[in-house]
Amino acid sequence: MSLSGHVSAVNLSVQSSLFYSSRSPYAWRNNCCAHTLLFSQSLSRILSMPVSYVSRTGSLNMSPPLKRKQILILYHVVCIDYPRPELENTVNYLEAAYLSLTFRNSPRPSKPLKVVIAGAVFGRCGHEPVLLEGRDVLGGKVAAWKDEGGDWYETGLHIFFGAFPNMQNLFGELGISDRLQWKEHSMIFAMPNKPGEFSRFDFPEALPAPLNGILAILRNNDMLTWPEKVQFAIGLLPAILGGQSYVQAQDGITVKDWMRKQGVPDRVTDEVFIAMSKALNFINPEELSMQCILIALNRFLQEKHGSKMAFLDGNPPERLCMPIVDHIRSWGCIELNENGSLKGFVLTNGNFIHGDAYVFATPVDILKLLMPESWKEIPYFKKLEKLVGVPVINIHIWFDRKLKNTYDHLLFSRSPLLSVYADMSVTCKEYYDPNRSMLELVFAPAEEWISRSDEEIVEVTMKELAKLFPDEISADQSKAKIYKTVPGTEPCRPLQRSPVEGFYLAGDYTKQKYLASMEGAVLSGKLCAQAIAQDYELLLDTRERRKLVEV
């Protein structure tokens, strides 16, 4: 679900009678300085801000004459792109690159298989892929649409981490690594108790992991006290010493229960892990499996650039998906032979698609909806009942002026209703606007809101934004024109090879070492392709026997 609208941002608490913004130069810099509003868009020309002022009553006037008692405020905006971090020599990136290399260097089959994929893209491996898509836009969970006014709205706020080696490898293979806009290595949290203020965890570039992450935590004194930091560090020791086996064993306990079990104060959960839980899986710590948090912390603390973030420089269908596929068609249901074996896919237009192997790469809820009844009692598929999608609402709001209290970065709202947000007019080149802000916000958890009206959702969102922007947004005067990682789900995640001959699964919910994320989805596709390549002889033999029967 995605909402969009246009909002008038009204300043009700300026200290002087008038606010005046002069025409200000924009300049390009290779690094940033303190107290500077940053823009990630690389500009080679001079731009200027419109002259505007806001009176104490909240009425907006354009280009006023200078009067007495006005305060002149100059904004010097520095445009900056942070360099791409060195990821190619990390163990995880090399592992991801090697997996891709095995497909490219594998012997080409003399008799290629016809592989039918519903909902995703498949590496060729010398075989013939047939790609099916149920919608008229590319991208699945990273899809985006353009509205009648020409504005793009996306299905989610997508962040590309340095700890995503398969995703980074994919960008490299496609030759589009330059389409990622890397941000400074920081995590920035809003302060609910201090409206309009933010707290930062800054990772020093000079230090390796995990020292850069440890120092980032130690230097932040806004969110946790020193005793709380010590208690949290002691609580994490079993995870650090126990390694991957310990992490996997924590699937059956929630984040909140794990923290209490380890003697970590509840305030640590409230201050840090509510925001982190909602950012990772869109649910709260009392629901989220601790394994999910530990996997993320493991990546962020073990890889120097693991927590460094990048935004795509434009809309995902054109900037990411189009380089992968040329066209996608429709899909409908699964049809079986009389003996229960897979016969093919029946499309919504009535066409029948037959192949030698079939890959279902849709979200788990769609798979369960289209699954043949006779498969539902097979243990492999029956376990899928516990895997449930998380309702998430993505909201876009266009403002009639530039918001000042924001960053060129992803921001953790720490709001009870909003997960993360970003001013896309600053963070993304294609959406760049020097005069107006466009906030993209993730509304989560959204289970109790998903069925409510757009008006109700926008109204409560504006109330939350009034807390984040107390000097710029008035909630009462503004006008607005992934599977769920709960405890115990890890054993339910299916392998890519199903017990039905020739039928395979791909998706972030399938068995792989990353979270329910873009990275997990890409890795699952590689593992699925690997399984099909390993089953080549079996699938080819089945095809030849079928031909003999047909004759």
Side-chain angles (χ1 to χ4, degrees):
M1 180 175 184
S2 183
L3 299 178
S4 62
H6 295 268
V7 172
S8 173
V10 182
N11 185 328
L12 297 179
S13 57
V14 290
Q15 296 178 352
S16 61
S17 60
L18 295 173
F19 165 78
Y20 176 78
S21 173
S22 74
R23 299 178 64 89
S24 306
Y26 288 57
W28 165 259
R29 294 280 178 85
N30 288 323
N31 50 40
C32 65
C33 56
H35 310 297
T36 319
L37 182 60
L38 303 177
F39 284 78
S40 56
Q41 170 77 347
S42 304
L43 301 177
S44 59
R45 59 190 176 86
I46 299 298
L47 301 176
S48 56
M49 294 179 66
V51 179
S52 62
Y53 77 96
V54 182
S55 71
R56 195 175 283 172
T57 60
S59 60
L60 173 67
N61 299 279
M62 300 303 292
S63 303
L66 281 173
K67 296 181 180 180
R68 282 182 165 183
K69 296 184 180 180
Q70 287 181 331
I71 297 178
L72 185 65
I73 303 176
L74 297 178
Y75 289 98
H76 184 64
V77 182
V78 178
C79 305
I80 181 171
D81 278 332
Y82 283 81
R84 184 177 187 273
E86 295 181 5
L87 303 172
E88 287 76 9
N89 294 324
T90 63
V91 172
N92 287 319
Y93 186 92
L94 292 172
E95 181 183 281
Y98 176 76
L99 185 54
S100 293
L101 189 65
T102 60
F103 298 134
R104 292 197 297 271
N105 292 346
S106 62
R108 300 296 93 176
S110 58
K111 297 180 179 180
L113 300 173
K114 182 179 180 181
V115 183
V116 181
I117 308 108
V121 178
F122 180 74
R124 290 189 65 90
C125 296
H127 302 293
E128 176 192 350
V130 178
L131 310 178
L132 310 176
E133 172 60 58
R135 297 183 294 189
D136 58 356
V137 294
L138 304 176
K141 290 183 179 178
V142 296
W145 292 263
K146 186 177 285 188
D147 64 16
E148 295 178 356
D151 292 317
W152 284 96
Y153 60 99
E154 304 177 6
T155 53
L157 179 51
H158 307 296
I159 301 299
F160 300 83
F161 284 96
F164 283 1
N166 289 281
M167 179 60 75
Q168 297 299 333
N169 188 253
L170 175 62
F171 272 83
E173 290 177 351
L174 296 172
I176 57 172
S177 293
D178 60 341
R179 298 185 183 184
L180 288 178
Q181 290 182 257
W182 291 93
K183 306 304 176 186
E184 58 184 325
H185 199 171
S186 302
M187 288 189 173
I188 307 173
F189 293 76
M191 300 291 286
N193 297 330
K194 299 177 182 178
E197 295 186 19
F198 295 87
S199 179
R200 299 171 60 103
F201 291 86
D202 294 314
F203 294 71
E205 292 293 329
L207 294 179
L211 296 180
N212 62 343
I214 293 173
L215 189 58
I217 295 171
L218 293 179
R219 291 196 302 189
N220 182 299
N221 296 315
D222 298 325
M223 295 172 66
L224 299 179
T225 64
W226 275 96
E228 288 169 340
K229 292 176 186 178
V230 171
Q231 288 175 285
F232 178 47
I234 294 173
L236 276 181
L237 281 178
I240 297 171
L241 299 176
Q244 189 62 26
S245 60
Y246 179 87
V247 172
Q248 292 176 348
Q250 305 314 301
D251 175 56
I253 187 169
T254 68
V255 175
K256 194 160 193 172
D257 289 342
W258 186 91
M259 293 290 180
R260 288 176 173 174
K261 177 184 174 184
Q262 298 302 119
V264 179
D266 283 349
R267 215 182 76 83
V268 174
T269 302
D270 295 339
E271 289 294 300
V272 178
F273 288 99
I274 288 179
M276 193 169 181
S277 297
K278 291 168 69 173
L280 288 173
N281 202 240
F282 311 115
I283 55 179
N284 286 313
E286 57 267 26
E287 294 183 87
L288 183 66
S289 167
M290 187 62 194
Q291 185 191 51
C292 183
I293 293 288
L294 291 177
I295 289 174
L297 288 176
N298 183 46
R299 298 295 173 195
F300 291 166
L301 292 177
Q302 289 192 8
E303 300 177 28
K304 177 178 179 179
H305 303 294
S307 57
K308 195 163 190 174
M309 307 178 209
F311 285 72
L312 192 63
D313 66 358
N315 71 85
E318 294 179 356
R319 302 300 290 168
L320 174 57
C321 302
M322 285 306 296
I324 305 175
V325 294
D326 295 323
H327 66 275
I328 293 179
R329 299 188 185 277
S330 180
W331 56 267
C333 65
I334 302 170
E335 186 169 312
L336 306 180
N337 292 307
E338 291 182 3
N339 63 2
S341 61
L342 187 58
K343 184 176 182 181
F345 288 164
V346 180
L347 307 185
T348 52
N349 61 7
N351 291 342
F352 180 80
I353 300 294
H354 179 272
D356 302 309
Y358 301 86
V359 178
F360 220 75
T362 68
V364 65
D365 290 326
I366 295 178
L367 169 62
K368 291 190 289 186
L369 182 66
L370 298 178
M371 188 187 303
E373 287 294 325
S374 60
W375 287 8
K376 293 183 178 180
E377 296 305 313
I378 299 175
Y380 173 89
F381 294 108
K382 192 173 181 62
K383 290 189 298 184
L384 299 179
E385 293 177 2
K386 196 169 182 181
L387 300 181
V388 181
V390 179
V392 178
I393 301 171
N394 202 51
I395 300 175
H396 299 70
I397 303 178
W398 283 260
F399 292 85
D400 63 358
R401 72 207 67 180
K402 205 72 176 175
L403 296 174
K404 301 186 295 296
N405 194 32
T406 187
Y407 285 83
D408 176 14
H409 214 292
L410 178 75
L411 301 172
F412 296 83
S413 75
R414 302 176 71 205
S415 154
L417 293 177
L418 303 178
S419 171
V420 292
Y421 69 98
D423 186 344
M424 300 298 282
S425 70
V426 173
T427 61
C428 177
K429 290 180 181 178
E430 182 175 350
Y431 305 147
Y432 170 75
D433 190 325
N435 303 320
R436 302 187 309 160
S437 285
M438 188 274 272
L439 292 186
E440 186 170 343
L441 311 104
V442 177
F443 190 109
E447 188 169 2
E448 65 175 276
W449 289 90
I450 200 75
S451 60
R452 299 198 190 185
S453 68
D454 291 356
E455 291 74 18
E456 288 180 282
I457 295 170
V458 170
E459 180 182 1
V460 73
T461 299
M462 294 308 300
K463 288 180 179 178
E464 292 300 310
L465 287 179
K467 301 172 187 176
L468 294 170
F469 299 87
D471 296 333
E472 300 182 86
I473 295 177
S474 169
D476 59 349
Q477 292 193 21
S478 298
K479 299 177 181 178
K481 152 177 149 175
I482 286 202
Y483 83 91
K484 196 173 186 179
T485 315
V486 297
T489 56
E490 184 63 26
C492 300
R493 296 171 67 183
L495 295 171
Q496 285 73 30
R497 181 189 286 109
S498 85
V500 177
E501 184 180 318
F503 188 75
Y504 303 82
L505 298 179
D508 61 6
Y509 67 91
T510 62
K511 196 76 171 180
Q512 39 80 23
K513 64 180 181 179
Y514 288 92
L515 307 169
S517 61
M518 292 182 288
E519 172 67 13
V522 173
L523 178 55
S524 76
K526 288 184 175 182
L527 296 176
C528 181
Q530 186 180 60
I532 292 174
Q534 292 169 348
D535 294 347
Y536 170 69
E537 295 295 339
L538 173 65
L539 296 170
L540 182 62
D541 182 63
T542 301
R543 183 176 72 180
E544 297 303 319
R545 284 189 284 107
R546 185 176 63 246
K547 286 183 178 179
L548 290 175
V549 172
E550 292 173 353
V551 172

